[in-house]
Amino acid sequence: MLNVLSAGLGDDRNETSERSEPMSVQTAAHLPLGIDAPHGVVHPIWVRVTHWINALAMLMMIGSGWQIYDASPLFGFAFPREIALGNWLAGALLWHFAAMWLLVINGLVYVTLGIVTGRFRRKLFPIRPSDVLHDLFAALRGKLSHDDLSVYNAVQKLLYLGILVVGVVIVLSGLSIWKPVQFHSLTSFFGGYNTARYVHFAAMTAIVTFLVVHVTLALLVPKSLRAMIVGR
Amino acid sequence: MPRQRKAIPGVDPKLLIKDAAKLLPEPSRRFFLRGAASLGALAVLSGCDILDGQTSEDALREISTFNDRVQALLFDPNTLAPEYPDSMITRPFPFNAYYSEDDAPEIDGDKWQLEVGGRVDNKKPWTLSELNKLPEVSQITRHVCVEGWSAIGSWQGLKLSDFLKMVGADTRAKYVWFQCAEGYSNTIDMPTALHPQTQLTLKFDHQTLPRAYGFPVKIRIPTKLGFKNPKYVTAMWVQNNDGGGYWENQGYNWFSGL
């Protein structure tokens, strides 16, 4: 029980994953794997590592994706070359199809661990519409508490779950653009080759919008950024 | 004085001058990272040469070669590209090349010959009229450009696999290399060459292939990106070494399968 108390008091002793967890209902779920957070740790090491690898992969995918978009824009604008990656179409394609491995492998590790450790279930569920509305209004009035970083508010839960879904959509729509013959059923699912390009673009837009909000809020609450780096 | 553009039936002049410069390399393109402000922070983080231009370009090309192997595994010789009804043909079908349509090769069909070489039994060159007598197949498929746009076209000609058998090609060879009149070239893998929809194309929309689309012979490969569909073909070689290609040599992915 000491751990529970000390964690609540902001204990920052060195933690190791070998350390036994207190037997409570909340922690029992992640005991067997021994890879979830020790007490006082907001984000276990696998979350932090996959988070930053994902950040790197995302920047490469988005930057090169913008350069690829510019070769044949879907809308009446192009992305400035200064903020795109790859310098020309061939370079951007090389980046895009290299970074995709990093994005997908890292994403699979993250989702697998998120499911098997029970982290997704604990952190993201349940999401009640009434809580979302309540927390949204509280956030807009600047009255949403960040005291306990280990507990997500309802708006966070919804956004984190939503961005996971968008992640799946951007990968699948990307596959359907890359391989419209071999994966023609998937391409048809996205409404055909041309529509799949719009879906892919829309998913990118959703991710970039999420990123802007996510990074802004992380900078407004610096201890959340610290937690994603050092874990607590 | 600007040259008068010859009107080609079914071709929109605006599309003919479609900017191919987007595909063209810049003098500075060696360094794919130039202008990559979005990665500036990462360069600082890495604090070393990992993101240095030449090193990263070499690494990226290695991964591209790895992606060639992955795509060869993904390629199913029995999976057919979707076919479309007549009504879905893109009209006008766009002209696209790294030069304007004015500069496209103008070939005299009576003098032209298709040279066949490498690992084949019969190296006799083929005239256009000889090719036109062979059994015709037809397809209406989607041409997907590496730039992202696509267009549905109607192509007629002979199955490349039939032609390869006819000339006694060694189909255990790894590649088929194509040479084009303007200096363009392309190499494709043998499984793709033998795919049932890979076509030695002589017609577009049941008319003799117009100059814009590669007269007299184009290789239509609906399982590959557009730039792997050579036009104005003058020679075909069956071989075991990868002959490279115009765009591939500049950094575009070699397999480029769809």
Side-chain angles (χ1 to χ4, degrees):
Chain A
M1 286 310 287
L2 183 65
N3 286 342
V4 175
L5 290 169
S6 59
L9 294 169
D11 180 284
D12 61 30
R13 285 173 297 167
N14 283 340
E15 305 275 1
T16 64
S17 53
E18 279 77 40
R19 193 159 125 197
S20 64
E21 305 263 5
M23 292 306 291
S24 70
V25 177
Q26 274 190 315
T27 54
H30 52 84
L31 256 181
L33 276 152
I35 51 172
D36 210 345
H39 261 267
V41 173
V42 179
H43 302 302
I45 185 74
W46 65 266
V47 169
R48 283 176 278 148
V49 169
T50 52
H51 173 273
W52 291 111
I53 292 176
N54 184 60
L56 174 70
M58 281 288 182
L59 281 179
M60 294 195 286
M61 290 305 274
I62 293 167
S64 57
W66 287 353
Q67 182 78 62
I68 295 167
Y69 165 96
D70 284 358
S72 181
L74 294 169
F75 304 100
F77 69 90
F79 294 97
R81 179 165 288 206
E82 291 70 30
I83 59 164
L85 174 63
N87 202 37
W88 70 307
L89 179 57
L93 288 164
L94 288 179
W95 276 106
H96 210 67
F97 291 111
M100 75 172 179
W101 293 110
L102 193 61
L103 182 85
V104 169
I105 293 169
N106 182 66
L108 286 175
V109 169
Y110 172 73
V111 170
T112 306
L113 288 175
I115 292 169
V116 299
T117 61
R119 183 179 167 90
F120 286 172
R121 183 172 42 76
R122 285 197 313 278
K123 296 278 184 181
L124 303 179
F125 295 100
I127 305 174
R128 295 185 195 89
S130 57
D131 290 349
V132 173
L133 284 175
H134 175 270
D135 289 352
L136 185 62
F137 284 121
L140 293 175
R141 283 181 283 126
K143 295 210 172 129
L144 200 56
S145 166
H146 311 292
D147 290 344
D148 187 352
L149 290 175
S150 68
V151 177
Y152 293 152
N153 65 60
V155 177
Q156 272 179 305
K157 287 180 180 178
L158 185 67
L159 286 179
Y160 290 152
L161 186 66
I163 207 66
L164 273 175
V165 174
V166 173
V168 171
V169 170
I170 203 159
V171 168
L172 294 182
S173 60
L175 275 178
S176 72
I177 298 169
W178 187 40
K179 293 276 165 262
V181 173
Q182 302 305 327
F183 301 152
H184 56 83
S185 306
L186 185 64
T187 311
S188 300
F189 172 79
F190 283 106
Y193 176 81
N194 287 333
T195 312
R197 290 182 69 204
Y198 285 93
V199 173
H200 200 57
F201 186 91
M204 179 280 293
T205 309
I207 287 171
V208 170
T209 309
F210 172 87
L211 265 180
V212 170
V213 175
H214 183 67
V215 172
T216 305
L217 292 179
L219 293 176
L220 286 175
V221 188
K223 66 176 178 177
S224 68
L225 185 58
R226 183 188 129 99
M228 191 48 88
I229 298 168
V230 299
R232 63 183 71 231
Chain B
M1 195 177 123
R3 272 190 287 170
Q4 190 67 40
R5 171 163 290 128
K6 267 178 265 166
I8 293 180
V11 182
D12 181 353
K14 276 183 298 209
L15 287 169
L16 294 180
I17 50 166
K18 183 169 168 37
D19 182 16
K22 280 179 298 195
L23 278 168
L24 275 176
E26 298 198 346
S28 62
R29 64 146 206 96
R30 291 294 300 169
F31 299 102
F32 292 159
L33 269 166
R34 259 184 60 115
S38 56
L39 276 190
L42 300 174
V44 173
L45 272 179
S46 75
C48 62
D49 289 343
I50 291 170
L51 293 173
D52 154 72
Q54 191 55 53
T55 314
S56 63
E57 178 170 335
D58 290 346
L60 290 173
R61 285 191 187 237
E62 289 278 328
I63 300 171
S64 189
T65 305
F66 169 75
N67 285 342
D68 287 339
R69 294 200 291 273
V70 172
Q71 292 178 90
L73 287 174
L74 283 176
F75 177 81
D76 178 351
N78 299 313
T79 297
L80 298 180
E83 302 223 14
Y84 301 88
D86 258 39
S87 59
M88 286 183 72
I89 295 172
T90 307
R91 297 179 195 280
F93 189 86
F95 166 84
N96 197 59
Y98 57 92
Y99 42 78
S100 76
E101 200 266 332
D102 268 355
D103 297 323
E106 242 173 320
I107 293 171
D108 181 344
D110 297 331
K111 292 187 184 144
W112 174 91
Q113 283 191 322
L114 178 66
E115 203 185 304
V116 180
R119 303 176 69 86
V120 297
D121 294 335
N122 187 354
K123 295 182 181 173
K124 170 192 90 71
W126 292 71
T127 64
L128 192 51
S129 58
E130 283 169 337
L131 291 174
N132 272 316
K133 286 186 192 110
L134 298 171
E136 186 179 279
V137 289
S138 180
Q139 64 174 275
I140 300 176
T141 49
R142 185 183 296 277
H143 170 107
V144 177
C145 181
V146 67
E147 293 175 327
W149 58 268
S150 73
I152 294 173
S154 160
W155 289 276
Q156 292 75 37
L158 30 143
K159 264 191 187 178
L160 186 64
S161 62
D162 287 350
F163 183 75
L164 288 170
K165 272 171 218 144
M166 209 180 307
V167 298
D170 173 9
T171 53
R172 292 163 307 169
K174 285 157 99 175
Y175 306 104
V176 181
W177 175 79
F178 300 100
Q179 175 65 55
C180 308
E182 79 277 52
Y184 194 83
S185 66
N186 235 201
T187 314
I188 60 166
D189 51 298
M190 186 58 79
T192 297
L194 298 176
H195 185 272
Q197 286 171 313
T198 300
Q199 192 187 82
L200 194 155
T201 299
L202 301 160
K203 290 177 183 169
F204 182 86
D205 201 14
H206 301 281
Q207 307 294 317
T208 300
L209 204 59
R211 177 179 163 211
Y213 305 156
F215 179 82
V217 162
K218 171 197 174 78
I219 306 298
R220 171 64 192 144
I221 311 174
T223 57
K224 295 263 193 218
L225 285 172
F227 78 88
K228 298 285 293 189
N229 289 231
K231 299 180 282 192
Y232 320 103
V233 176
T234 55
M236 182 190 303
W237 290 72
V238 176
Q239 56 192 41
N240 275 319
N241 60 309
D242 173 12
Y246 182 85
W247 289 119
E248 296 86 330
N249 297 351
Q250 298 181 56
Y252 283 91
N253 176 260
W254 182 82
F255 195 90
S256 286
L258 290 174

